[in-house]
Amino acid sequence: ELVAAGERDTTFSRETGRLAWRSPYPLPEMVLVGGKHQIHRREHQGIEIALHLKPEQAEQAAGLFDAVQYYLDRYQPLIGSYPAREYRVVDNFFSSGFAFPTFTLLSSAVIDMGERAQQTHGYLDHEMLHSWWGNGIHVDPRDGNWCEALASYGANYYGFVLDGDEDEARRKRRNYSHFLSRLEPEKDKPLGTFGREDGCGRSIGYDKGAAVFQMLEWTIGREAFWSAMQRLTAEFVGDFASWEDLRSVFEAESGRDLSPFFDQWVRRGGAPQLLIDEARFDSAGQRLHLTLSQGDPAFNLQIPIRITFGDRLEDVIVALRGSRETVSIPVEGIPTSVELDPEYHVFRKIPPQQILPTTAATRSGQAFTAVLPTGDMPDSYRKIQSVFESSFEPQQRMAATVGSLSGEHLAERSVLILGEAVRDGYVSAFLSAVEFPVHWIEGGFEFDGEPYTDPGDAVLCTVAHPGVTGGGITVVYANSREVMPSAFAIPMYDRSLVIFSSGRAVLRHDFEHRAVVEVAPL
């Protein structure tokens, strides 16, 4: 069965005996794909939904139909009408989604995930949003690629907002700042260069891009933001749009000059490193004096501050334009502590010692040690070791079997500890010294007072390495070797701790550092 970037012209095909498609809007290129598929069809509000699946994937059809309908109903009121009369999901051998006008190639592995892929933000919803951003509205090749940032914002982040899940929405905002804070300075290029020769990489193009659109929505308000998206659809489907076109649309709907915002977040690289250097309370004048810093070059910022007064909280917003400034805030009551932007509405760089520990920490740094158990090494262990080692040059890597460990293996190197190696006396003492939160008990392990002793239980846990700035210590352990977490999936878990039961994540937890500053008297 063949699929092209357009709507099937059945009349022409019937009259000529040839397959033909017509696009509902101008296209810059022709796309034609095909495969040995069965087609499942359904109509929804005048749109034909078709699924091109392998015969053995037929059981996924109902869930995929429901998911496509759900996302059409979710996003059309925000963005405008879907710009065609057909939408097709096509099974393919590529490892991820690949969106084209009127259809999306979706990996067999993703389709086979069933409900998880259908409902998890960043899979099908992300690809469907490209029907508007990137395919319905083309990226102007004279400027950077904005469509991946917007699709990441709309699906991977805003999906949680639409769900009413503010905890997950905050976690996404937080992770954008934390994970991009590990980026090497030479790679911290302007968002507006994504997709251009020698431009920024995917982490900036997708993740920082999503954070920038989130800040824009927070700055101008949700109503103005989504009104701008409807205007963009109405004016640009079938045409090319640049970052400057987006700015003009947002300005028209918000009534604000957004040149400073786009100049510092799209055309410049970097981000502020925000700190509260000092917090003092003037009891006579009933004012809280905060000294804030952000480093150079300075950004023009509106920063949320949370003030704690005993048993109540108050959120205020203060302006910061220079590298270091003192602001004075009138207060009622005696403030005890302050926290800078606890909800992560402002994208920023996090000091290395405060970055959320995940496997990304252990896969970064200047040196690495894999600590291995004695005896035969299962293939699953070797694959996990390889995933971590691949981030380091050969001369930076070390592997040591328990019983042959010394201080040089652990003290100043990111460390991966695999399987039964956790029960070695030397390793156990090392983990105890760094206050590792998982403890090893007979038949399994314990976290937060809860024992996990089923043979199908496993844990992936990372803590910050006190001897390596920005480095990590990761343990991957299973109660039976057959249920070790998949090496392929490990980098995808953006959590400090994940506990699995028979291969399924049942508990997720983060070891977040909250930068709370105590208020001193003036």
Side-chain angles (χ1 to χ4, degrees), residues 14-54:
R14 184 170 58 252
E15 293 174 350
T16 64
R18 299 176 179 178
L19 294 178
W21 292 263
R22 295 184 186 275
S23 174
Y25 49 81
L27 296 177
E29 60 191 8
M30 188 183 96
V31 180
L32 183 70
V33 303
K36 294 183 177 180
H37 297 138
Q38 292 180 345
I39 302 180
H40 308 259
R41 289 186 173 88
R42 182 188 291 184
E43 186 171 304
H44 180 65
Q45 296 182 358
I47 301 169
E48 182 188 86
I49 304 170
L51 310 175
H52 293 231
L53 305 177
K54 298 173 184 173

Coordinates of all heavy atoms in Angstrom, one line a residue, residues 14-54:
R14 N -9.8 6.2 -10.4 CA -10.8 5.3 -11.1 C -10.8 5.6 -12.6 O -10.9 4.6 -13.4 CB -12.1 5.6 -10.5 CG -13.2 4.7 -11.0 CD -14.5 4.9 -10.2 NE -15.0 6.2 -10.2 CZ -15.0 7.1 -9.2 NH1 -14.5 6.6 -8.0 NH2 -15.4 8.3 -9.3
E15 N -10.6 6.8 -13.0 CA -10.7 7.2 -14.4 C -9.4 6.8 -15.2 O -9.5 6.5 -16.4 CB -10.9 8.7 -14.6 CG -12.3 9.1 -14.1 CD -12.5 10.6 -14.1 OE1 -11.4 11.3 -14.4 OE2 -13.6 11.1 -13.9
T16 N -8.3 6.8 -14.5 CA -7.0 6.6 -15.2 C -6.3 5.2 -14.9 O -5.4 4.8 -15.6 CB -6.0 7.7 -14.9 OG1 -5.7 7.6 -13.5 CG2 -6.6 9.1 -15.2
G17 N -6.8 4.6 -13.8 CA -6.1 3.4 -13.3 C -4.8 3.7 -12.6 O -4.0 2.8 -12.4
R18 N -4.5 4.9 -12.3 CA -3.3 5.3 -11.6 C -3.6 5.8 -10.2 O -4.6 6.4 -10.0 CB -2.5 6.4 -12.4 CG -2.1 6.0 -13.8 CD -1.5 7.2 -14.5 NE -1.0 6.8 -15.9 CZ -0.5 7.7 -16.7 NH1 -0.3 8.9 -16.3 NH2 -0.1 7.3 -17.9
L19 N -2.6 5.6 -9.3 CA -2.8 6.2 -8.0 C -2.4 7.7 -8.1 O -1.5 8.1 -8.7 CB -1.8 5.5 -7.0 CG -2.2 4.0 -6.7 CD1 -1.1 3.5 -5.7 CD2 -3.6 3.9 -6.1
A20 N -3.2 8.5 -7.4 CA -3.0 9.9 -7.4 C -3.4 10.5 -6.1 O -4.3 10.1 -5.4 CB -3.8 10.6 -8.6
W21 N -2.7 11.6 -5.7 CA -3.0 12.3 -4.5 C -3.0 13.8 -4.9 O -2.3 14.3 -5.7 CB -1.9 12.1 -3.5 CG -1.9 10.7 -2.9 CD1 -2.5 10.3 -1.8 CD2 -1.2 9.6 -3.5 NE1 -2.2 8.9 -1.6 CE2 -1.5 8.5 -2.6 CE3 -0.5 9.4 -4.6 CZ2 -1.0 7.2 -2.8 CZ3 0.0 8.1 -4.9 CH2 -0.2 7.0 -4.0
R22 N -3.8 14.6 -4.1 CA -3.8 16.1 -4.3 C -3.6 16.7 -2.9 O -4.3 16.3 -1.9 CB -5.1 16.5 -4.9 CG -5.4 16.1 -6.3 CD -6.6 16.7 -6.9 NE -7.0 16.1 -8.2 CZ -6.4 16.5 -9.3 NH1 -5.6 17.6 -9.3 NH2 -6.8 16.0 -10.5
S23 N -2.7 17.6 -2.8 CA -2.5 18.3 -1.5 C -3.5 19.4 -1.4 O -3.8 20.1 -2.3 CB -1.1 18.8 -1.5 OG -0.9 19.6 -0.3
P24 N -4.0 19.6 -0.2 CA -4.9 20.7 0.1 C -4.2 22.0 0.2 O -4.9 23.1 0.3 CB -5.6 20.3 1.4 CG -4.6 19.4 2.1 CD -3.8 18.7 1.0
Y25 N -2.9 22.0 0.2 CA -2.2 23.3 0.3 C -0.8 23.1 -0.4 O -0.4 21.9 -0.6 CB -2.0 23.7 1.7 CG -1.5 22.7 2.7 CD1 -0.1 22.3 2.7 CD2 -2.3 22.0 3.5 CE1 0.4 21.3 3.6 CE2 -1.9 21.0 4.3 CZ -0.5 20.7 4.4 OH -0.1 19.7 5.2
P26 N -0.1 24.1 -0.8 CA 1.2 23.9 -1.5 C 2.2 23.2 -0.7 O 2.3 23.4 0.5 CB 1.6 25.4 -1.8 CG 0.4 26.2 -1.7 CD -0.5 25.5 -0.7
L27 N 3.0 22.4 -1.4 CA 4.0 21.6 -0.7 C 5.4 21.9 -1.4 O 5.4 22.1 -2.6 CB 3.8 20.1 -0.8 CG 2.5 19.6 -0.1 CD1 2.3 18.1 -0.4 CD2 2.6 19.8 1.4
P28 N 6.5 21.9 -0.6 CA 7.8 22.2 -1.2 C 8.4 20.9 -1.8 O 9.5 21.0 -2.5 CB 8.6 22.7 0.0 CG 8.0 22.0 1.2 CD 6.5 21.9 0.9
E29 N 7.9 19.7 -1.5 CA 8.5 18.5 -2.0 C 7.5 17.4 -2.1 O 6.4 17.5 -1.5 CB 9.7 18.1 -1.1 CG 9.2 17.8 0.4 CD 10.4 17.7 1.3 OE1 11.5 17.9 0.9 OE2 10.1 17.3 2.5
M30 N 7.8 16.3 -2.8 CA 7.0 15.2 -2.9 C 7.5 14.1 -2.0 O 8.7 13.8 -2.0 CB 6.9 14.7 -4.4 CG 5.9 13.6 -4.6 SD 5.9 12.9 -6.3 CE 7.0 11.5 -6.1
V31 N 6.5 13.4 -1.3 CA 6.9 12.3 -0.5 C 6.0 11.1 -0.8 O 4.8 11.2 -1.0 CB 6.7 12.6 1.0 CG1 7.1 11.4 1.9 CG2 7.6 13.8 1.4
L32 N 6.6 9.9 -1.0 CA 5.8 8.7 -1.3 C 6.5 7.6 -0.6 O 7.7 7.3 -0.7 CB 5.9 8.4 -2.8 CG 5.1 7.2 -3.3 CD1 3.6 7.5 -3.2 CD2 5.4 6.8 -4.7
V33 N 5.7 6.8 0.2 CA 6.2 5.7 1.0 C 5.3 4.5 0.8 O 4.1 4.7 0.4 CB 6.3 6.0 2.5 CG1 7.2 7.2 2.7 CG2 4.9 6.2 3.1
G34 N 5.7 3.3 1.1 CA 4.9 2.1 0.9 C 5.4 1.0 1.7 O 6.6 0.9 2.1
G35 N 4.5 0.0 1.9 CA 4.9 -1.2 2.7 C 3.8 -2.2 2.6 O 2.7 -1.9 2.1
K36 N 4.0 -3.4 3.1 CA 3.1 -4.5 3.1 C 2.1 -4.3 4.3 O 2.4 -4.9 5.4 CB 3.8 -5.8 3.1 CG 4.6 -6.1 1.8 CD 5.2 -7.5 1.8 CE 5.9 -7.7 0.5 NZ 6.5 -9.1 0.5
H37 N 1.1 -3.5 4.1 CA 0.2 -3.2 5.2 C -1.2 -3.6 5.0 O -1.7 -3.7 3.8 CB 0.3 -1.6 5.5 CG 1.6 -1.2 5.9 ND1 2.2 0.0 5.4 CD2 2.5 -1.7 6.8 CE1 3.3 0.2 5.9 NE2 3.6 -0.8 6.8
Q38 N -2.0 -3.7 6.1 CA -3.4 -3.7 6.0 C -3.9 -2.4 6.5 O -3.4 -1.8 7.4 CB -4.0 -4.8 7.0 CG -3.6 -6.2 6.5 CD -4.2 -7.3 7.5 OE1 -4.6 -6.9 8.6 NE2 -4.3 -8.5 7.0
I39 N -5.0 -1.9 5.8 CA -5.5 -0.6 6.1 C -6.8 -0.7 6.9 O -7.7 -1.4 6.6 CB -5.8 0.3 4.8 CG1 -4.5 0.4 4.0 CG2 -6.3 1.6 5.2 CD1 -4.7 1.2 2.7
H40 N -6.8 0.1 8.0 CA -8.0 0.2 8.9 C -8.5 1.6 8.8 O -7.7 2.5 8.9 CB -7.6 -0.2 10.4 CG -6.9 -1.5 10.5 ND1 -7.5 -2.6 10.9 CD2 -5.6 -1.8 10.3 CE1 -6.7 -3.6 11.0 NE2 -5.5 -3.1 10.6
R41 N -9.8 1.8 8.6 CA -10.3 3.1 8.4 C -11.4 3.5 9.3 O -12.2 2.6 9.8 CB -10.8 3.3 6.9 CG -9.8 3.2 5.8 CD -10.4 3.5 4.5 NE -9.4 3.7 3.4 CZ -8.9 2.7 2.7 NH1 -9.3 1.4 3.0 NH2 -8.0 2.9 1.8
R42 N -11.4 4.8 9.7 CA -12.5 5.3 10.5 C -12.7 6.8 10.1 O -11.7 7.5 9.8 CB -12.2 5.2 12.0 CG -13.3 5.7 12.9 CD -12.9 5.7 14.3 NE -12.8 4.3 14.9 CZ -12.5 4.1 16.2 NH1 -12.3 5.1 17.0 NH2 -12.4 2.8 16.6
E43 N -13.9 7.3 10.2 CA -14.1 8.8 10.0 C -14.4 9.5 11.3 O -15.1 8.9 12.1 CB -15.2 9.0 8.9 CG -15.3 10.5 8.6 CD -16.3 10.7 7.4 OE1 -16.1 10.1 6.3 OE2 -17.2 11.5 7.6
H44 N -13.8 10.7 11.4 CA -14.1 11.5 12.6 C -14.2 12.9 12.3 O -13.3 13.5 11.8 CB -12.9 11.3 13.6 CG -13.1 12.0 14.9 ND1 -14.1 11.8 15.8 CD2 -12.4 13.1 15.4 CE1 -14.0 12.6 16.8 NE2 -13.0 13.4 16.6
Q45 N -15.4 13.5 12.4 CA -15.7 14.9 12.1 C -15.2 15.3 10.7 O -14.6 16.3 10.6 CB -15.1 15.7 13.2 CG -15.7 15.5 14.6 CD -15.1 16.4 15.7 OE1 -14.2 17.2 15.4 NE2 -15.6 16.3 16.9
G46 N -15.5 14.5 9.7 CA -15.1 14.8 8.4 C -13.7 14.5 8.0 O -13.3 14.8 6.9
I47 N -12.9 13.9 8.9 CA -11.5 13.6 8.6 C -11.5 12.0 8.6 O -11.9 11.3 9.5 CB -10.6 14.1 9.7 CG1 -10.7 15.6 9.8 CG2 -9.2 13.7 9.5 CD1 -10.0 16.2 11.0
E48 N -10.9 11.5 7.5 CA -10.7 10.1 7.4 C -9.4 9.7 8.1 O -8.3 10.2 7.7 CB -10.6 9.6 5.9 CG -10.4 8.1 5.8 CD -10.2 7.6 4.4 OE1 -9.0 7.5 4.0 OE2 -11.2 7.2 3.8
I49 N -9.5 8.9 9.1 CA -8.3 8.4 9.8 C -8.0 7.0 9.2 O -8.9 6.1 9.2 CB -8.6 8.3 11.3 CG1 -9.0 9.7 11.8 CG2 -7.3 7.8 12.0 CD1 -9.5 9.6 13.3
A50 N -6.8 6.7 8.8 CA -6.4 5.4 8.3 C -5.2 5.0 9.0 O -4.2 5.7 9.2 CB -6.2 5.5 6.8
L51 N -5.1 3.7 9.3 CA -4.0 3.1 9.9 C -3.4 2.0 9.0 O -4.1 1.1 8.6 CB -4.4 2.4 11.3 CG -5.2 3.3 12.2 CD1 -5.6 2.4 13.4 CD2 -4.4 4.5 12.7
H52 N -2.2 2.2 8.6 CA -1.5 1.2 7.8 C -0.6 0.3 8.6 O 0.5 0.7 9.0 CB -0.6 1.9 6.7 CG -1.4 2.7 5.7 ND1 -1.2 2.6 4.4 CD2 -2.4 3.6 5.9 CE1 -2.1 3.3 3.7 NE2 -2.8 4.0 4.6
L53 N -1.1 -0.9 9.0 CA -0.4 -1.7 10.0 C -0.1 -3.1 9.4 O -0.7 -3.5 8.4 CB -1.3 -1.9 11.2 CG -1.9 -0.6 11.9 CD1 -2.8 -1.0 13.0 CD2 -0.7 0.2 12.4
K54 N 0.9 -3.7 10.0 CA 1.2 -5.1 9.7 C 0.0 -6.0 10.2 O -0.7 -5.6 11.2 CB 2.4 -5.6 10.4 CG 3.7 -4.8 10.0 CD 4.9 -5.3 10.9 CE 6.1 -4.5 10.6 NZ 7.2 -4.8 11.5

